[in-house]
Amino acid sequence: MNRRTRDLVLAASLALLAGLYAWWFRADRHLLAVALVFVAPPALLLLGVLAQRAAARFWAGVFALFWFSHGVMSAWSHRDTALYAWIEIALALLIVALVSVPGMRARFAAKKAG
């Protein structure tokens, strides 16, 4: 997978995650807080990825660790919304994998050369 394709898949994953949060918490009485804490970060990172900013890819990987932890906690403790949590977990793992590919390639290429 080339860099452009990987960035498009990453952007789609971030868009899906932002949409998931918007749908999941649509009936929350603290809608502004939900938008700022859950929807805004993946949406802003999406813009950064589309602008081809390396920092956006890095921060997407960092935030994905939080999203993964949140998904595990929600799947474990809120059975009524477990489907949303499992989707969140899957998207977080996909994001981590996508942002880790260049580093993994560099790591194993260096090992083969040595």
Side-chain angles (χ1 to χ4, degrees):
M1 179 182 305
N2 64 25
R3 180 180 171 191
R4 185 69 182 145
T5 303
R6 191 174 57 249
D7 281 351
L8 288 175
V9 174
L10 178 59
S13 301
L14 290 166
L16 286 171
L17 189 62
L20 173 71
Y21 285 137
W23 181 257
W24 186 353
F25 299 115
R26 69 189 179 281
D28 196 284
R29 66 183 190 155
H30 302 290
L31 200 53
L32 180 61
V34 165
L36 290 174
V37 173
F38 288 103
V39 179
L44 292 173
L45 289 168
L46 163 65
L47 296 176
V49 168
L50 291 176
Q52 298 182 353
R53 303 279 192 244
R57 287 187 292 276
F58 168 78
W59 283 108
V62 172
F63 273 87
L65 300 174
F66 162 76
W67 297 325
F68 175 81
S69 299
H70 178 266
V72 169
M73 179 190 66
S74 293
W76 184 263
S77 60
H78 302 290
R79 298 287 182 201
D80 54 327
T81 60
L83 178 61
Y84 297 130
W86 281 106
I87 295 170
E88 178 184 21
I89 292 167
L91 288 171
L93 289 173
L94 178 60
I95 291 167
V96 167
L98 289 168
V99 300
S100 300
V101 165
M104 295 297 284
R105 281 190 180 155
R107 165 72 171 94
F108 289 112
K111 192 173 189 176
K112 286 181 184 178

